[in-house]
Amino acid sequence: MKRKEVDIDLLSPMMKQYMEIKDEHEDELLFYRLGDFYELFFEDACLASRELELTLTGKNAGLSERVPMCGVPFHSVKPYIEKLVNKGYKIAICEQLEDPKSVKGMVKRGVVQVISKGTVVDLELLNASSNHYIASIIDYKYMYAICYADISIGKLYVVNVLHQMEKLMGTILNLGVLEVVLKDNSDLNLVQTLKGTYGIEVSFCDKSLDNEYTNLYEHLSDMHQIESVKMLLYYLVVKELKNLSHFEKAEVVILDDFLALDVHTVRNLELITTLRLKDRTYSLLWLLDKTKTAMGARMLKEWLMKPLLDEKLINERYDMIEVFNNEFILKEKLRDLLYNVYDIERLCGKASCGSLNARDVLQLKNSLKVLPEISDILKKVNYGVVLNTHEKLFALLDAAIYENPPVTLKEGYLIKDGYNSELDELKSIRSGGKDFIARFEEDLKKKSNISNLKVGYNKVFGYFIEVSNGQKDKVTDDLRWERRQTLTNCERYISPELKEKEALILNAEEKIIELEYSLFMDIKKEILKEVLALKDTAHILANVDALCSLATCAEEYHLVRPVLNHEHIIDIKNGFHPVISKVSNSDYVKNDCVMDNTINTLLITGPNMSGKSTYMRQLAIIIIMAQMGSFVPADEANLPIFDKIFTRIGASDDLVSGQSTFMVEMQESKNAILNATVNSLILFDELGRGTATYDGMSLAKAILEYVTKKIGCKTLFSTHYHELTSIEREISSIKNVHVSAIEENKNLIFLHKVKSGALDKSYGIHVAKLAGLPEEIIVSASKTLSYYENNSKSKKASSVQLEMEFPMEEKDSLVNERLKAIDVLRLTPLDALNVLYELKNLVDKS
């Protein structure tokens, strides 16, 4: 049965109300609150029952046929919402807007929030160490205006991106945006790329929010950015019913202020996740994250993804790392205190969105408790920023909230004794009532001579006297008990005295719950008044936590402070890859990387598995760590400031878009070549290996020459084409280096040491042997290699040779094709002379 097929006039009043609300939320799964359950009906029920593996039942709704229905308990709804949201569905939460006890007839209901991938605010559904971004994108044909926000912490950003799909997708993917809002007429290719290729949720909105939250964007001067903000605000406020009172003013992000890392570089260098398992473990972020707070973890990730170009700011972070490590006792005490700080940013978000509960308030109180000690330490290390300790708010929360409050706000036991006199009086009545019940039970046992009777309570009958069947004969008329319920093994009674006291006790309980709820709402208002100040405090704590994390890493991994230069010099002594060094079971071989201002390119040769890729990656990682403000893995490091890093490392097909390894390789190479400047770093690992030998070698040579001569940036270029090494003689800014290996008893031993000069020998068969291929294959390959080596012409590799190979191949091809077409048995002597003359001409022309 489908919703649109139903005659609304025949439906029950409750179902009519459902239909009216659902008509306003066609695109969402409507979780409709009925008592202690959220119910879904019609198509929503069928879909949810399949996705959540729930039993699909039916409900009488005034029709001859039961309408499809499924439901989940309201107190355990979060896992179900999380599962649906992760699958890309939007959820509309419909609540009762009135107290059923005070309303006759239908209770008013309405949607109180809409939840989608990018608008989750519940802490239990969020990744604590990552931001949760939703973004709006407006295509202006010559540029994209992007506004992105993390609702859970109230951060809002705007950025302009060049009108290039690759730059747009790189920005969105590097930010980790989960949901994108586009205009209805947006490019279908963009929609498909976002949703189909990368699994980013796409929503549509053509309207702007004009009269609310103007304070968030009134300081902006770029009208394109303002429009992107207003479109996102409309989607969040009108469509998703979000309260954004905790939002800070939109911050303008200028991409040129940071070291540019395209999406390929982030992936190839395994900055956030590993290539193989797509997991955070063994990534660079995993290694550097020694933070104690969720806020610090997010800040550290932001620093890693946005390394600085400002030398002053970089050195300020170096200075604080040195201070913390010199004051290591204070640093460890500070880290211990930070461990007690909860996610203040997201607690502020919950307060503004109205979902803050008593346990959240308790977390906030415990976070504020340690601020005075943190403030004292920051003063001792001359941190330079004054930390607001929020002492008045802490005193309020400390006096008000129980240490172990319930999750929900309508159970009571929220507010401490002594906070409110009226509440204390009601609690006294309740406590006295419970004492009365205990005494009353003892008196009844003596009076009736029924030793096992009990005084109990349930919501249907209130307080009652329970007597077992074996003792019910002792219940006489003079006791004035009235039978209320007969059970299998007992009888239940009431008495006038019991009912009189019950009214007083129950009213006190109800009034306590109502008053505590009211007092808690007042406390939330006080928290809301300090939300922006609390967020400033959270920002300071996040910075301190991230710096402490980098200081701890510097100490633990023996990192050094780099020196920054303006002479385009790279001078690294005993550099190493920090992650591999940390997890390696063997001693890590450290290497120098020296490129003075006369050397632009290192051309790296060496066997597979010798460490060429690791050597290249470690240089990029050292640079990124240096510019994010961290000490670096080396004995000494003298580095320029780079503006962009491009990498082409590893071979992988892009199966989603149907692109081969070679096409991916060429596109990544193009991205580097077109966008690199003289201040960039390019890493090309075995470029050209995805196609035929001569094609690959020619392309590698041409790209190497172009990057070195035309761009002039620092480049590491590894290759198995040993013929390329002769370019060193032609271009003085190219230097040959190799990763050494030795043969002992026909076995290959990798030394992993980078040395000057070229390597003119391949070790592919040795590597195959190390990989464990069958001996028969190794022997056969060795014989074939020996044959080719003995029969090949001894030519010295040069750039001239590369130019010669293709004509020779073309010449041989033409002659061979002509010979194959000749039917020798049908040739006359004259024809044979003509064919010979033709073949001679072919050879001469070539």
Side-chain angles (χ1 to χ4, degrees):
M1 182 188 299
K2 294 184 178 179
R3 187 168 59 88
K4 294 294 186 183
E5 299 171 351
V6 171
D7 186 347
I8 296 178
D9 294 333
L10 299 177
L11 292 173
S12 63
M14 185 279 293
M15 192 55 68
K16 282 182 180 177
Q17 185 189 59
Y18 167 83
M19 297 287 273
E20 290 171 0
I21 296 171
K22 178 62 182 174
D23 285 343
E24 297 177 2
H25 295 276
E26 295 276 0
D27 298 331
E28 294 89 32
L29 294 175
L30 183 62
F31 276 57
Y32 186 76
R33 179 73 177 271
L34 287 175
D36 289 340
F37 281 81
Y38 286 110
E39 306 285 6
L40 297 95
F41 301 101
F42 298 104
E43 293 93 332
D44 284 4
C46 296
L47 190 152
S49 65
R50 182 179 69 250
E51 296 288 2
L52 300 175
E53 300 179 5
L54 299 173
T55 301
L56 184 66
T57 61
K59 184 177 182 65
N60 293 322
L63 305 175
S64 58
E65 183 182 351
R66 286 159 62 89
V67 302
M69 180 190 81
C70 71
V72 296
F74 85 96
H75 56 79
S76 59
V77 71
K78 290 179 182 178
Y80 297 105
I81 291 176
E82 181 181 21
K83 190 172 183 180
L84 289 170
V85 168
N86 287 338
K87 288 175 176 282
Y89 297 105
K90 295 181 181 179
I91 312 297
I93 304 295
C94 179
E95 295 284 4
Q96 297 173 170
L97 303 180
E98 299 173 316
D99 187 347
K101 295 177 183 177
S102 61
V103 177
K104 291 183 179 180
M106 280 293 298
V107 176
K108 185 179 179 181
R109 292 181 176 84
V111 172
V112 296
Q113 66 170 318
V114 176
I115 304 172
S116 58
K117 259 190 181 181
T119 59
V120 176
V121 294
D122 196 305
L123 297 185
E124 294 178 23
L125 306 181
L126 293 169
N127 181 343
S129 59
S130 295
N131 285 106
H132 204 87
Y133 287 128
I134 179 172
S136 64
I137 302 174
I138 299 181
D139 184 353
Y140 287 103
K141 303 308 177 186
Y142 64 93
M143 60 159 278
Y144 295 103
I146 304 175
C147 173
Y148 60 97
D150 185 339
I151 299 176
S152 67
I153 63 174
K155 290 283 190 178
L156 189 67
Y157 303 91
V158 288
V159 61
N160 292 339
V161 176
L162 291 176
H163 200 268
Q164 297 175 11
M165 180 68 78
E166 188 160 299
K167 284 190 177 295
L168 173 66
M169 293 313 305
T171 303
I172 294 298
L173 293 173
N174 281 352
L175 285 170
V177 172
L178 299 171
E179 183 177 358
V180 166
V181 182
L182 301 173
K183 288 187 174 292
D184 288 338
N185 61 351
S186 293
D187 180 13
L188 290 177
N189 182 44
L190 174 59
V191 176
Q192 178 57 37
T193 303
L194 288 166
K195 197 165 187 175
T197 305
Y198 296 109
I200 298 171
E201 186 64 27
V202 176
S203 302
F204 296 93
C205 177
D206 265 344
K207 296 183 179 180
S208 300
L209 192 70
D210 291 316
N211 299 319
E212 292 183 65
Y213 299 111
T214 55
N215 62 301
L216 299 180
Y217 57 81
E218 60 189 3
H219 62 289
L220 300 177
S221 57
D222 187 328
M223 292 306 301
H224 305 102
Q225 293 177 345
I226 291 174
E227 282 305 310
S228 68
V229 173
K230 289 163 71 174
M231 186 172 89
L232 184 60
L233 292 179
Y234 183 90
Y235 179 79
L236 294 175
V237 174
V238 179
K239 287 199 167 188
E240 300 259 322
L241 306 176
K242 304 299 182 186
N243 182 326
L244 308 182
S245 59
H246 64 302
F247 266 43
E248 300 171 32
K249 289 184 177 182
E251 180 181 330
V252 180
V253 176
I254 301 173
L255 296 178
D256 290 342
D257 288 346
F258 304 100
L259 170 60
L261 305 170
D262 64 15
V263 67
H264 310 300
T265 299
V266 173
R267 183 191 67 225
N268 291 335
L269 297 180
E270 301 182 305
L271 299 184
I272 305 299
T273 58
T274 57
L275 279 168
R276 185 174 181 184
L277 300 177
K278 312 298 181 188
D279 189 60
R280 187 176 186 270
T281 304
Y282 302 131
S283 68
L284 182 59
L285 179 61
W286 164 81
L287 184 85
L288 296 178
D289 190 356
K290 306 288 183 184
T291 56
K292 295 295 185 178
T293 69
M295 304 173 294
R298 293 193 296 272
M299 181 67 73
L300 185 72
K301 182 178 180 181
E302 184 178 341
W303 288 0
L304 178 59
M305 295 298 289
K306 291 181 177 178
L308 300 169
L309 299 185
D310 189 319
E311 185 177 351
K312 181 175 179 290
L313 293 177
I314 295 171
N315 276 306
E316 284 176 0
R317 290 182 187 173
Y318 294 163
D319 292 341
M320 283 312 306
I321 290 172
E322 284 190 340
V323 168
F324 280 133
N325 281 342
N326 289 335
E327 300 285 354
F328 59 91
I329 295 176
L330 288 176
K331 181 190 73 176
E332 289 308 312
K333 185 178 180 182
L334 180 58
R335 297 183 75 223
D336 289 340
L337 291 168
L338 287 168
Y339 184 73
N340 296 297
V341 176
Y342 291 85
D343 198 338
I344 296 175
E345 282 185 321
R346 284 182 169 164
L347 289 173
C348 289
K350 287 193 73 175
S352 297
C353 294
S355 59
L356 197 75
N357 61 37
R359 293 188 181 180
D360 295 328
V361 174
L362 193 64
Q363 288 184 355
L364 179 59
K365 185 200 84 170
N366 291 333
S367 300
L368 300 182
K369 183 178 180 179
V370 298
L371 293 187
E373 289 185 82
I374 292 175
S375 178
D376 289 343
I377 293 175
L378 295 183
K379 289 175 183 176
K380 289 177 181 177
V381 298
N382 297 316
Y383 186 69
V385 177
V386 177
L387 184 69
N388 186 342
T389 54
H390 304 278
E391 292 176 7
K392 287 185 179 180
L393 182 60
F394 170 75
L396 171 68
L397 302 184
D398 189 45
I401 305 298
Y402 268 128
E403 295 302 323
N404 189 26
V407 176
T408 62
L409 302 179
K410 294 293 182 73
E411 295 181 33
Y413 299 97
L414 294 174
I415 307 299
K416 284 181 177 180
D417 296 342
Y419 180 74
N420 179 273
S421 58
E422 182 184 354
L423 180 62
D424 290 344
E425 185 177 347
L426 287 170
K427 287 180 179 179
S428 176
I429 293 173
R430 180 180 65 184
S431 176
K434 290 182 178 179
D435 292 341
F436 165 79
I437 294 299
R439 291 195 304 270
F440 184 73
E441 185 178 282
E442 290 301 318
D443 290 343
L444 287 177
K445 288 178 181 179
K446 293 175 183 178
K447 187 176 180 180
S448 64
N449 199 28
I450 303 172
S451 59
N452 64 351
L453 72 75
K454 297 176 182 177
V455 175
Y457 174 83
N458 66 31
K459 291 182 179 180
V460 177
F461 296 107
Y463 284 97
F464 55 81
I465 305 164
E466 183 175 289
V467 179
S468 65
N469 287 338
Q471 300 288 316
K472 67 181 180 181
D473 292 341
K474 295 182 179 180
V475 179
T476 58
D477 291 341
D478 62 312
L479 291 175
R480 297 173 61 200
W481 293 0
E482 180 183 337
R483 181 184 285 110
R484 273 298 173 92
Q485 188 179 20
T486 301
L487 300 179
T488 305
N489 59 351
C490 66
E491 295 282 348
R492 288 178 175 174
Y493 305 87
I494 62 170
S495 72
E497 190 179 4
L498 182 61
K499 288 282 109 182
E500 181 183 340
K501 200 65 177 178
E502 176 190 75
L504 184 61
I505 295 169
L506 293 182
N507 287 337
E509 187 76 36
E510 188 174 328
K511 287 180 180 178
I512 286 171
I513 290 174
E514 289 177 0
L515 182 54
E516 286 202 330
Y517 181 78
S518 176
L519 292 171
F520 186 79
M521 291 297 105
D522 291 339
I523 292 168
K524 284 177 67 173
K525 289 177 183 176
E526 293 301 313
I527 294 172
L528 281 172
K529 290 178 183 177
E530 283 210 48
V531 157
L532 294 180
L534 284 168
K535 290 183 67 179
D536 288 339
T537 299
H539 183 75
I540 294 170
L541 294 175
N543 272 276
V544 170
D545 194 16
L547 285 168
C548 284
S549 178
L550 294 179
T552 302
C553 290
E555 192 174 33
E556 183 176 335
Y557 307 136
H558 307 293
L559 310 180
V560 298
R561 177 172 180 159
V563 175
L564 303 177
N565 68 72
H566 300 276
E567 286 76 45
H568 210 51
I569 294 170
I570 295 176
D571 188 359
I572 297 171
K573 298 292 191 297
N574 287 326
F576 59 95
H577 192 298
V579 178
I580 297 176
S581 176
K582 168 73 174 175
V583 302
S584 178
N585 293 324
S586 56
D587 290 337
Y588 188 94
V589 178
K590 299 180 179 182
N591 278 297
D592 297 346
C593 183
V594 180
M595 300 174 74
D596 61 27
N597 51 19
T598 66
I599 300 296
N600 291 335
T601 301
L602 294 185
L603 184 57
I604 310 167
T605 49
N608 284 320
M609 292 177 59
S610 62
K612 298 191 302 297
S613 298
T614 299
Y615 180 70
M616 298 170 74
R617 283 188 173 100
Q618 80 183 37
L619 172 60
I621 284 173
I622 287 171
I623 290 165
I624 290 169
M625 288 177 65
Q627 290 186 220
M628 73 179 283
S630 169
F631 285 13
V632 300
D635 289 349
E636 294 178 26
N638 189 355
L639 302 166
I641 293 179
F642 290 88
D643 62 356
K644 302 172 186 177
I645 295 180
F646 301 96
T647 65
R648 170 56 218 167
I649 300 174
S652 59
D653 290 2
D654 188 348
L655 300 177
V656 175
S657 57
Q659 295 178 342
S660 68
T661 299
F662 186 64
M663 176 58 80
V664 172
E665 185 176 279
M666 289 299 101
Q667 288 186 337
E668 292 182 13
S669 302
K670 177 202 74 173
N671 181 45
I673 291 167
L674 294 182
N675 294 293
T677 72
V678 69
N679 294 317
S680 301
L681 173 71
I682 294 179
L683 308 180
F684 280 152
D685 186 23
E686 298 184 26
L687 203 63
R689 63 183 168 183
T691 187
T693 301
Y694 292 128
D695 278 353
M697 192 187 305
S698 300
L699 280 166
K701 176 178 180 290
I703 291 172
L704 177 59
E705 290 176 337
Y706 185 93
V707 168
T708 304
K709 291 180 177 179
K710 299 286 187 180
I711 302 175
C713 64
K714 297 296 186 187
T715 304
L716 267 58
F717 197 109
S718 74
T719 185
H720 279 297
Y721 300 132
H722 301 295
E723 294 84 352
L724 294 181
T725 57
S726 62
I727 299 179
E728 182 188 53
R729 296 192 296 270
E730 302 172 19
I731 305 175
S732 60
S733 59
I734 294 178
K735 179 183 177 181
N736 283 322
V737 296
H738 70 277
V739 187
S740 56
I742 58 173
E743 285 185 75
E744 286 187 1
N745 301 322
K746 296 186 178 180
N747 290 319
L748 185 63
I749 299 173
F750 298 118
L751 300 180
H752 303 296
K753 197 69 178 174
V754 176
K755 299 180 179 180
S756 295
L759 192 70
D760 59 0
K761 182 175 181 180
S762 296
Y763 294 91
I765 293 176
H766 293 81
V767 174
K769 185 177 181 180
L770 288 173
L773 264 64
E775 185 66 23
E776 182 180 348
I777 293 176
I778 302 300
V779 171
S780 175
S782 299
K783 290 179 178 178
T784 304
L785 176 64
S786 178
Y787 172 80
Y788 282 125
E789 287 178 342
N790 291 333
N791 287 278
S792 64
K793 294 180 181 178
S794 179
K795 292 185 178 180
K796 194 172 183 180
S798 68
S799 58
V800 177
Q801 177 194 350
L802 288 174
E803 295 168 4
M804 291 289 291
E805 292 291 351
F806 287 104
M808 290 295 292
E809 187 176 65
E810 184 181 356
K811 171 196 70 178
D812 292 345
S813 176
L814 291 171
V815 173
N816 288 338
E817 286 180 11
R818 185 68 184 95
L819 284 171
K820 289 177 183 177
I822 298 171
D823 187 347
V824 178
L825 297 177
R826 294 186 178 182
L827 284 179
T828 65
L830 182 59
D831 289 335
L833 285 172
N834 288 334
V835 168
L836 182 60
Y837 179 79
E838 181 183 349
L839 293 174
K840 179 69 167 60
N841 282 338
L842 280 175
V843 172
D844 290 340
K845 288 177 182 178
S846 61

